[in-house]
Amino acid sequence: MSTAREIAAYAHMQARLIALLLRHDERRFRQYIGPLEQAPEDENEALLPYRELAVLFHLRDELFEHILPRIVRRLSFESPRSLAAEEPPARGRVHWERSLAATWGERPGEPPLQLQTTRRRRDFATPENLLTVATLLQYRADVQRLLWGDSAVVGADALRHPLNDIVDRCDRALAFPQFAGLRPAAQRILEGEQGGAEALEARVAERASPGGNSAYQELLTWRARRRELRLLRRGDPARIDAVLGADPSRDNYLFQLWIFYELADLLHERALLDDLDTRPQQMRLCFRWGAAGEIRRYELCHDQAPEPIARWEVAPTGARPPGVRPDFYLRRIDPPPQRVIQGGRCYWREPGVVWDAKYYRERDTGQTPSPPVKRMIADLTLLGEQEGVLLFAFLQAATGDGQEVRQIGPAAGFEQTIAPDVRVSARQLEPTSAAPSAPVRETLVSLLERAHQRLAPVRTPACHGVFLDTLSAPAAALLSDRYGVPFGGTSADLLICPKPHIGPWRVDIVSRAVHCCADGRLCHIVGQPGAQKPIRPPRDIKDLLRELEHIFADVDRSQIEDELVSAIARQVEALTRRFAEISGAYRRIEVYFNRLRDLGLAQTLDLLAPPERESLALAVFLVEQLDSIGASDYSAPAIHISSVMEVELKRRVFQCPGLIGDLALPKRQTLGVLPYLRRSDDLDGNWQRIQEYVAAHWNEHPDPDDPERLVRFDDLITKAINRIAQLRNTAAHTNPLPRKEYTELQGIIFHGGKLGYGALNALLLGWKMHHEL
């Protein structure tokens, strides 16, 4: 038996849904709200306007789209006959015998001057048409009473518009010529003349005849339903099939609709609603939420299956696992959610929040119903989600506060197979008023704010790999990855891979050779621009060479480009800096600065920025270390000194204004681009712009102590920069750069080579800075 609280909540929910549907989804009103031809026994006066509003809209389409058009096509009328004396030409039908007899006594044998005629005229003032006009007048008056009354039901403009539309349709129908003349008579009948509207209905019913216009009979039925219709109430088992929401087993859906449209109304009032889609199987809200400067865009989907993070399979048949379609799924759409995709498969995406609405009967125990909690935990596990909220219409709070939030999750300190941060919350969301309710709004705002706090921060996958100590490698050989595949002979490359974008608890063991930047199941930076495998910090020069081999081994020699070489150079520089920190070279960096001055940079070393000075010093340090072990590959120091040359070109030549196309992007401004532009057909005109810009800044006599020395910018490109770019590209390949070629590179940059003057000195001293112009 339904309790008084349950009955009241159901009535409030249905009445509120009437207003919400008419404001936000009028076209689906009839689908969700239906009639019961029985007056409720305990009518609540506060709900009467909502019930009347529902009836007015429920009957609207039937009247205007079905009954009235058929009445207009076959209007009833009467054709009474009347006798008249007319002068020729007569309009009526001439009765010659009477006409001759009337004049025979006065003028025998002569034609009559007046003709006796019979006239037949159409009279549309029939009871049927009068009833039609009276119906339109009544309907119009009822709608206007709601529009201009004191009720808050139609306070919103969105609801007043469809009501005004009904008034307009009544006015257009009454303007029909045959109806317009009947309007005064119909109004007098409504005021009580001739027995009133009831007597008029009785006359229409008596005049019904087989073969007549059945639309008038349907109008009588329509008027009867207009008097008798009420919203369906709970607790009438005989009529549970009459309307959605009548069957308690289907109340959940009505509860979900109420929540969906209540959210739409809340967001619309706050001007945060961007889009509302109410199509079946596609219902969704797109909206904004958050404080100024932290606004995010979200999408709330109703009764739709989200893309799962987890993947389940049925073995050995390969059948589909159980599907999950939560009542509501909320996700961030701007910024777009981060995803890990490889080979067309999504291995991870940023999670959302799952809401389920439960219109359970009132309970006295104060306990959260266990079946929905179990199902929510199962749904979160199947989807791979972490946050679920159960919204109960009735939830007896232990504290007596209906806003109590109950949290359900794995207990800490126990062996668990489920993610430890999975949480299921239980909240009460009870319909308490037919008007916008403050407690309901507070709960909805709280739900949105909680979801915003969880979803607003962007979870960007990044590499946080930590190498296992090489002394542990023999024991590590017994390990396997999270899917049970042994690592085998790759144990020396094992890493601990934390994934804070999933949760602080998620830590994998991966192999750099097998998984890193290759297997989307375990490496979530796979496919990201600039993704690089982790590098083990080198403790000696041999470790450094092994790590350099890893960097170069990942380079596709067929795809080598200046942009890729620059990325490799940054990776090499970071590794050697780390090596210098571990080995203590940074504590004596001044020693290598002095060696650079001895190599020909006495005038220019201090013109470089600190990172470039350090990079050159590290190159000298690396050469020293490589020479000590008789190494055959000098790629690392070559990359260091050539990258400094590239940086200084960017600070000077590539500051040229007006560059267009790819050259306007800093990552495209590499060592090899200047020689390429000089010898190619530059359709964009960038080479011409650079020449004009350089001409205004280049000093061909860089050495004031040797005014006869001439260094042209064109010579700098052809005799120095072109060869520097070639040697750096070689260093970035898997082929080692021998000591001889490194010596050539160092000579071009520091001493001169074919240019006859150190390329770096020429660039630093030959370029006029702004204060010199």
Side-chain angles (χ1 to χ4, degrees):
M1 188 69 181
S2 300
T3 65
R5 178 187 178 192
E6 184 183 355
I7 293 173
Y10 188 87
H12 289 314
M13 179 172 63
Q14 197 178 47
R16 176 67 177 148
L17 192 54
I18 292 169
L20 292 171
L21 284 171
L22 292 176
R23 290 177 188 177
H24 302 291
D25 194 11
E26 182 194 346
R27 64 188 176 86
R28 299 183 69 191
F29 168 78
R30 290 173 63 88
Q31 179 181 346
Y32 294 142
I33 301 298
L36 171 67
E37 300 178 14
Q38 171 186 343
E41 298 176 358
D42 54 343
E43 189 69 85
N44 186 333
E45 291 187 4
L47 302 180
L48 282 174
Y50 292 94
R51 300 186 185 283
E52 185 173 5
L53 189 65
V55 171
L56 289 173
F57 275 95
H58 180 79
L59 297 176
R60 176 194 58 184
D61 293 342
E62 184 179 0
L63 177 63
F64 288 115
E65 296 179 12
H66 299 288
I67 298 176
L68 272 179
R70 292 168 56 209
I71 287 177
V72 170
R73 283 198 297 269
R74 293 183 58 194
L75 281 175
S76 70
F77 60 89
E78 295 178 343
S79 301
R81 295 183 179 183
S82 61
L83 297 176
E86 300 182 61
E87 294 182 356
R91 288 181 298 174
R93 184 175 181 180
V94 179
H95 198 295
W96 291 107
E97 292 182 2
R98 290 184 179 180
S99 300
L100 293 172
T103 59
W104 188 262
E106 298 179 2
R107 302 175 60 192
E110 295 185 9
L113 298 178
Q114 282 192 334
L115 302 176
Q116 299 293 321
T117 63
T118 302
R119 286 188 180 181
R120 180 173 293 183
R121 60 183 179 84
R122 290 188 176 184
D123 186 3
F124 290 97
T126 63
E128 292 83 358
N129 292 335
L130 285 170
L131 181 64
T132 302
V133 175
T135 300
L136 291 169
L137 291 173
Q138 280 182 314
Y139 195 21
R140 183 179 185 277
D142 289 341
V143 173
Q144 284 189 318
R145 177 167 44 80
L146 272 180
L147 271 171
W148 307 114
D150 296 330
S151 173
V153 176
V154 292
D157 290 340
L159 193 54
R160 298 182 70 87
H161 176 73
L163 287 173
N164 278 312
D165 181 65
I166 293 177
V167 174
D168 291 341
R169 295 181 75 171
C170 287
D171 288 338
R172 289 197 297 271
L174 289 168
F176 185 60
Q178 282 77 8
F179 289 163
L182 303 180
R183 188 166 178 171
Q187 185 64 48
R188 290 194 297 271
I189 291 175
L190 291 176
E191 293 171 358
E193 285 189 10
Q194 303 178 30
E198 292 77 9
L200 181 60
E201 285 186 20
R203 291 200 299 274
V204 172
E206 291 173 359
R207 287 164 52 92
S209 60
N213 190 346
S214 61
Y216 292 112
Q217 284 298 112
E218 292 178 11
L219 181 64
L220 288 172
T221 304
W222 187 92
R223 289 180 59 84
R225 296 181 69 211
R226 170 74 180 85
R227 290 190 297 269
E228 297 169 0
L229 277 178
R230 297 292 187 273
L231 286 183
L232 185 62
R233 302 297 296 271
R234 280 290 298 276
D236 187 359
R239 299 178 178 270
I240 61 175
D241 295 328
V243 65
L244 178 65
D247 184 354
S249 66
R250 300 170 66 196
D251 287 348
N252 275 346
Y253 193 62
L254 188 64
F255 187 44
Q256 294 165 24
L257 291 178
W258 170 68
I259 294 173
F260 181 84
Y261 287 102
E262 197 73 69
L263 272 169
D265 196 56
L266 168 68
L267 296 166
H268 178 74
E269 285 186 6
R270 298 191 175 197
L272 298 173
L273 183 63
D274 293 334
D275 186 41
L276 171 62
D277 190 341
T278 60
R279 291 174 294 174
Q281 312 303 323
Q282 300 183 47
M283 292 182 67
R284 68 188 185 104
L285 298 170
C286 290
F287 61 94
R288 287 162 284 117
W289 196 265
E294 299 179 356
I295 295 177
R296 299 285 188 267
R297 291 189 69 239
Y298 296 96
E299 178 184 69
L300 179 78
C301 296
H302 173 250
D303 195 26
Q304 297 174 49
E307 177 188 27
I309 299 175
R311 287 285 190 270
W312 292 74
E313 61 183 5
V314 180
T317 63
R320 290 186 178 182
V324 179
R325 291 176 60 181
D327 297 340
F328 299 100
Y329 185 74
L330 179 62
R331 68 186 184 105
R332 191 189 71 242
I333 57 175
D334 189 22
Q338 297 288 309
R339 297 157 64 91
V340 177
I341 298 178
Q342 185 183 31
R345 293 191 60 182
C346 179
Y347 288 103
W348 176 85
R349 61 166 172 78
E350 286 191 86
V353 174
V354 176
W355 293 351
D356 269 357
K358 302 300 177 187
Y359 196 85
Y360 279 25
R361 296 191 62 180
E362 186 179 4
R363 292 169 178 252
D364 299 327
T365 62
Q367 298 293 324
T368 305
S370 59
V373 175
K374 294 177 183 177
R375 178 172 178 177
M376 175 63 81
I377 293 174
D379 287 353
L380 294 177
T381 304
L382 287 169
L383 290 172
E385 299 285 349
Q386 298 167 331
E387 179 87 1
V389 182
L390 290 166
L391 303 175
F392 291 96
F394 309 104
L395 186 65
Q396 187 70 34
T399 61
D401 179 8
Q403 298 299 315
E404 178 186 35
V405 182
R406 302 180 186 178
Q407 295 281 350
I408 305 164
F414 292 87
E415 183 68 22
Q416 304 282 7
T417 58
I418 195 171
D421 54 359
V422 169
R423 290 292 180 272
V424 176
S425 304
R427 300 286 300 266
Q428 177 175 297
L429 189 60
E430 179 181 355
T432 56
S433 172
S437 167
V440 169
R441 291 290 176 89
E442 290 173 4
T443 301
L444 293 177
V445 169
S446 173
L447 288 168
L448 292 175
E449 191 60 35
R450 165 64 183 168
H452 174 68
Q453 292 173 1
R454 185 172 183 84
L455 303 180
V458 178
R459 303 187 183 191
T460 302
C463 181
H464 302 281
V466 179
F467 281 89
L468 294 178
D469 193 290
T470 54
L471 297 177
S472 304
L478 303 176
L479 297 175
S480 60
D481 64 24
R482 65 185 289 111
Y483 300 101
V485 179
F487 291 109
T490 63
S491 56
D493 278 337
L494 295 187
L495 302 93
I496 296 174
C497 181
K499 292 183 172 61
H501 59 280
I502 297 178
W505 50 269
R506 175 67 180 271
V507 179
D508 290 324
I509 298 179
V510 301
S511 166
R512 174 170 61 175
V514 177
H515 302 118
C516 293
C517 295
D519 190 342
R521 299 175 304 165
L522 293 172
C523 179
H524 286 179
I525 65 169
V526 63
Q528 286 188 7
Q532 300 171 346
K533 291 185 177 183
I535 298 299
R536 184 192 296 272
R539 289 176 292 190
D540 54 39
I541 189 61
K542 293 182 179 179
D543 284 348
L544 176 64
L545 290 175
R546 279 194 294 268
E547 294 307 311
L548 288 173
E549 287 178 4
H550 279 287
I551 293 175
F552 298 139
D554 293 332
V555 179
D556 184 355
R557 298 179 62 183
S558 65
Q559 299 292 326
I560 198 74
E561 295 178 356
D562 284 347
E563 185 181 347
L564 178 59
V565 170
S566 296
I568 294 171
R570 290 191 294 270
Q571 198 173 3
V572 170
E573 289 172 1
L575 177 62
T576 53
R577 277 193 171 89
R578 181 63 177 145
F579 174 50
E581 292 172 357
I582 295 173
S583 64
Y586 267 121
R587 292 194 297 269
R588 50 191 180 91
I589 196 74
E590 286 293 338
V591 172
Y592 299 102
F593 287 160
N594 289 331
R595 292 185 184 177
L596 287 170
R597 292 185 178 95
D598 294 341
L599 288 172
L601 300 183
Q603 289 182 276
T604 56
L605 184 64
D606 293 332
L607 298 178
L608 298 171
E612 282 64 57
R613 286 202 302 269
E614 288 182 6
S615 188
L616 292 177
L618 289 175
V620 176
F621 163 70
L622 286 173
V623 170
E624 179 185 88
Q625 296 294 311
L626 294 171
D627 285 342
S628 68
I629 64 170
S632 60
D633 186 5
Y634 285 74
S635 297
I639 287 175
H640 270 274
I641 62 176
S642 57
S643 295
V644 170
M645 195 72 192
E646 182 177 83
V647 169
E648 297 305 321
L649 282 172
K650 283 187 177 183
R651 289 178 176 167
R652 291 163 173 79
V653 177
F654 289 113
Q655 294 302 311
C656 172
L659 296 178
I660 62 174
D662 289 345
L663 200 59
L665 304 175
K667 64 180 181 180
R668 300 287 188 176
Q669 297 166 357
T670 61
L671 271 174
V673 81
L674 288 175
Y676 171 77
L677 286 176
R678 182 183 176 279
R679 64 176 178 264
S680 66
D681 295 329
D682 179 25
L683 300 179
D684 292 332
N686 284 326
W687 178 243
Q688 181 65 30
R689 296 184 186 93
I690 288 175
Q691 282 186 310
E692 294 172 358
Y693 181 68
V694 169
H697 291 77
W698 189 253
N699 176 16
E700 295 183 344
H701 303 279
D703 190 349
D705 296 331
D706 187 3
E708 299 299 324
R709 183 179 294 276
L710 183 68
V711 180
R712 296 185 179 89
F713 181 73
D714 191 69
D715 292 336
L716 178 68
I717 294 176
T718 58
K719 298 179 180 180
I721 293 177
N722 186 46
R723 182 57 177 162
I724 293 171
Q726 291 173 355
L727 291 171
R728 190 178 74 152
N729 287 354
T730 301
H733 281 66
T734 54
N735 290 338
L737 185 77
R739 184 67 163 84
K740 180 180 179 181
E741 291 189 351
Y742 172 75
T743 303
E744 178 189 357
L745 177 64
Q746 180 177 280
I748 295 172
I749 293 177
F750 293 158
H751 305 299
K754 292 182 179 180
L755 184 65
Y757 196 80
L760 185 57
N761 284 333
L763 183 61
L764 295 175
L765 296 175
W767 193 266
K768 301 176 185 176
M769 304 306 287
H770 289 290
H771 63 276
E772 301 173 7
L773 297 177

